[in-house]
Each structure stands twice: as structure tokens, then as C-alpha cells.
Amino acid sequence: MKSDPSMESAVPLRRRLGLALLVLYGTGITVGAGIYVLIGAVAGHAGIYAPWSFVVAAAVMALTVASYAELSTRFPVSAGEAAYVRAAFQSRALATAIGLLTVVTGVVSSAAVTVGSAGYIQQFTDLPQGLIVVIVIVLLGAVAAWGILESVVLASLFTLIEVGGLVTVILAGIHADLPIVATITRLPPLDAAALSGVGFGSLLAFFAFIGFEDLANVVEEAKVPHRDIPRAMVLTLGISTVLYVLVAAVAVSAVPIERLSSSSAPLSLVFRQVAGVSPATISAIAIVATLNTILAQMTMAARVVYGLAREGGLPAIFARVHRRTGTPLVATACIAACVVPLALFVPLTPLAEGTSLATLAVFALVNLALLRLRYRGVQSDNPHVSVPIWIPAIGFVTCLAMMAGALFR
């Protein structure tokens, strides 16, 4: 039986993404749904010093961002994590395992956010949650299959809306004359209770920064990858950090910590307190934020499946790129098919916890891969950035420490 001539494994992915779209893509995934639900939990542990928890989390994340920046330019391919590990440890089995673990993080996080998105959507419709889940995944899967430029442009529009919501909170806080600067510059006292609160708050805040690494898996679709991917990663981290710290300062200044930490929709509470925004508007922004995260994570996971198949780690059918769309259709359909049952039958909390641990495991191995490559003196013919050796070393240790904190809390 002849194969579809419009779908061939030799068709390359299209380089259509410039720096602006890459930054919007990375920021949209990172900001995503995290800050809309995490601020209350972080404030519950760190109290008035919640902004410092986000600063600490950003500093820790910066180490892994730097490692990704070097590795993604050394090895500018889809399924980047698998390529890094394979080059470092010369093991196809280990590379395939880390690639599949990356796919798992994308699939499970997509399912978790889909559950949250369905909850917000139900505020506007009487459709059952299961039907909403299927509709969301099918529609976003179709967008991901349509084309990378179309997917990222839509994600960028979503990003502008969700970031606009956060900026609205910040501007409203400034207009209300809240002590934002004083809150940010207020250092936590040097006592065990305050520092441990900031520390555990930073463990939670760390997960609000997850998402930048998806940029490494669209590197083959970047116009100038060795220049734009590292810049996009740094800008994504910087923009997210500024937004998080300012929003945290507004939140803990505007709402009592007890109310903030006990609210199931903490940012909604802040919106109403400082801006008088209706719950419907807040829910609409939250829907956009969640849809953005789902689309970006599904796109990333499909690219990793494509990259693994192209390297022989998965069946070759997943490496087929459709000539008309320039996207891996089979890989995208497979990811969508995996997300649906998880979103339908697994509760939100286990999905979120599984995403966090799997992501930290991937980060730890990425840092270790860079250490191994440096130790072996492996060179690259590609133009790439280079970071000091202590960065992946500390990045590896901090990832292990956070995994231990999550497992034994």
C-alpha cells in the first residue's frame, strides 16, 4: 500500500520562528496557569515575604536555563533532552528514556491543565466536564497539527491576554497606592521560621517557572537558533520573574494572608480587591491562560516524539512530517490521544505532582549531561553559548534537593 505522498519522513520542519514569537511562546508557557493558582499557596508559607520566594525560585531556575542555553545551541534538534543525554553518556536507551520522560511531562501537564481549564469553562456553559475536555483537546490538537507558525501565533495572542491580566493587577495595585516597593524590598528576618517559610514557598514557586525548556524542542523551527533560543530563554525567565514578583507584592499587600492562602482562586480574589474586576472576566483570562499552556505543551511533546522517532528510538511513522502543514501529524495525534484519557479519569492533584517530579528529574539529567560533556571534552561544530562549569553543577544539586523536598515533605 502506498503511503500518503504529502507525508514523508524526509520533509524537514520549517524555520518560521523569530525572536519575538519565541519569547511570546516561552513566556506564555511559563506564565501559563501557574501564577493564577500558586500565589495563595506560596503566600501561605512565606507570608508577606512571598515575593522573595519567587526571587529565590528564579535564581535556582536560572542555573538550569543557562545549561539549556548551552546545550540547545550545541545540539539544535528536536527531542533536545534526549540528544543531550545521548551525546553525554553514549547510550541510546538512556536517551530514549529521558526523551519519553520529557513526553510524559508534556502529556501529564496538558491533562492537568485541561482539567483546570474545563472547570473555568463550566462557569460559562452547562456542558459536562468530560465533553469539554474532549472538545478542548481535539481543537487544540488541530491547531498544533495545522502548523508551527499558526500554533505559536495563537499561543502568542493568548500570552498577550494572560500577561495583560497580570499587568492589570499590577497597575491596579499601583493606582490603589499599595506599598509594592516597600513589600519587595522588605528582607525576611534571619530566623528559622521566616527563612524556612521563604524556602518552602520557593519550592512551590519553582513550578511556576516551568515551561521555558519547551523552547529547546522548537529549536529546529527557529530562524536563527544559536542566537535566538538562548535570548528567548533568558527573556522568558526575566519577564516571568518581574511579573511574578510584582503580582506577589500586590497580592500580599492587598489581601490578608489568611484569606489569600485559603482561597481556591487567589488571583481572582486579588483582582476583585484591587481592580473591581468581575469574576467572569477573571475566569475568561484564566481560560486563555490554561488553553495557552495546553497548546504549547502538546506542541512540545509532539516535537519530542518526532525527534525520538527520527533518531530511531520510536517507530519511524512518528517522524513523518506532512508536506503541506510542515508538522508531525502522527506524533501530534498520538499526543492528543494520550492526553484525553488522563484528563478524563485521573484527578488533578496526582497529575500536577507527577508533572513536577518528572520535570525536576529531566532538569537534573540535563545539568548532569552538560557536566559529563565538559568532563569528556566533547566539542560541537555548531555556534553555541558557553557557561561556567559551576552552573550545571549547582543546577544538578538544586534539582535533586527540590525532588527530595517534594518527595519527603
Side-chain angles (χ1 to χ4, degrees):
M1 183 174 65
K2 288 187 176 182
S3 61
D4 183 349
S6 66
M7 191 181 294
E8 301 291 343
S9 59
V11 178
L13 297 172
R14 297 176 185 172
R15 294 194 178 278
R16 306 175 72 185
L17 306 180
L19 179 60
L21 283 177
L22 289 168
V23 172
L24 286 169
Y25 177 75
T27 302
I29 312 166
T30 304
V31 173
I35 191 65
Y36 285 87
V37 294
L38 271 177
I39 183 61
V42 173
H45 291 281
I48 196 69
Y49 306 108
W52 282 100
S53 288
F54 286 99
V55 171
V56 172
V60 172
M61 182 62 84
L63 299 168
T64 298
V65 168
S67 293
Y68 264 97
E70 175 167 341
L71 287 167
S72 64
T73 49
R74 274 177 172 257
F75 307 98
V77 295
S78 298
E81 291 89 350
Y84 315 152
V85 169
R86 184 174 182 178
F89 300 102
Q90 299 177 313
S91 168
R92 171 173 286 186
L94 184 58
T96 300
I98 190 67
L100 291 175
L101 185 59
T102 305
V103 173
V104 167
T105 65
V107 169
V108 177
S109 63
S110 296
V113 180
T114 300
V115 173
S117 183
Y120 282 112
I121 293 172
Q122 281 187 304
Q123 297 184 29
F124 298 93
T125 178
D126 293 328
L127 292 175
Q129 179 172 308
L131 180 58
I132 294 173
V133 163
V134 173
I135 292 173
V136 166
I137 296 302
V138 169
L139 289 179
L140 293 181
V143 173
W146 184 17
I148 185 63
L149 181 61
E150 292 77 10
S151 298
V152 174
V153 166
L154 182 60
S156 298
L157 293 174
F158 284 173
T159 299
L160 293 175
I161 294 171
E162 68 190 58
V163 170
L166 298 180
V167 171
T168 299
V169 173
I170 296 167
L171 293 177
I174 294 172
H175 186 264
D177 202 25
L178 294 176
I180 299 173
V181 175
T183 301
I184 294 173
T185 55
R186 183 176 179 179
L187 295 173
L190 298 178
D191 65 69
L195 293 179
S196 64
V198 171
F200 195 81
S202 69
L203 177 62
L204 297 175
F206 176 84
F207 301 126
F209 289 94
I210 291 172
F212 80 89
E213 71 281 2
D214 288 11
L215 287 165
N217 289 303
V218 295
V219 67
E220 289 188 43
E221 290 151 295
K223 293 178 180 178
V224 191
H226 67 275
R227 182 194 69 192
D228 289 346
I229 292 294
R231 290 180 180 179
M233 288 181 175
V234 171
L235 287 170
T236 291
L237 179 64
I239 292 168
S240 301
T241 302
V242 171
L243 288 172
Y244 288 170
V245 170
L246 289 175
V247 168
V250 171
V252 298
S253 300
V255 181
I257 300 298
E258 294 75 15
R259 286 186 64 201
L260 191 64
S261 61
S262 62
S263 173
S264 59
L267 203 56
S268 172
L269 184 62
V270 175
F271 264 58
R272 290 197 300 268
Q273 189 74 23
V274 300
V277 179
S278 72
T281 302
I282 300 163
S283 296
I285 293 174
I287 290 170
V288 169
T290 53
L291 292 179
N292 195 8
T293 300
I294 298 163
L295 176 59
Q297 291 289 67
M298 288 176 61
T299 300
M300 176 276 292
R303 295 309 183 272
V304 177
V305 169
Y306 157 82
L308 289 174
R310 191 180 57 183
E311 296 300 319
L314 290 175
I317 190 172
F318 293 114
R320 292 182 177 178
V321 174
H322 198 276
R323 191 176 298 278
R324 193 172 301 112
T325 65
T327 59
L329 291 189
V330 177
T332 303
C334 177
I335 293 302
C338 291
V339 172
V340 170
L342 284 176
L344 288 175
F345 303 117
V346 181
L348 177 61
T349 300
L351 288 172
E353 290 178 351
T355 301
S356 301
L357 288 172
T359 302
L360 281 167
V362 171
F363 285 180
L365 281 170
V366 165
N367 282 295
L368 187 61
L370 182 53
L371 287 172
R372 175 71 173 169
L373 288 167
R374 288 290 193 84
Y375 175 77
R376 292 177 49 221
V378 176
Q379 301 299 316
S380 173
D381 295 332
N382 298 305
H384 63 84
V385 299
S386 184
V387 300
I389 191 64
W390 58 265
I391 286 181
I394 299 178
F396 175 67
V397 171
T398 53
C399 287
L400 290 184
M402 286 197 164
M403 288 178 70
L407 288 170
F408 302 111
R409 69 184 185 278

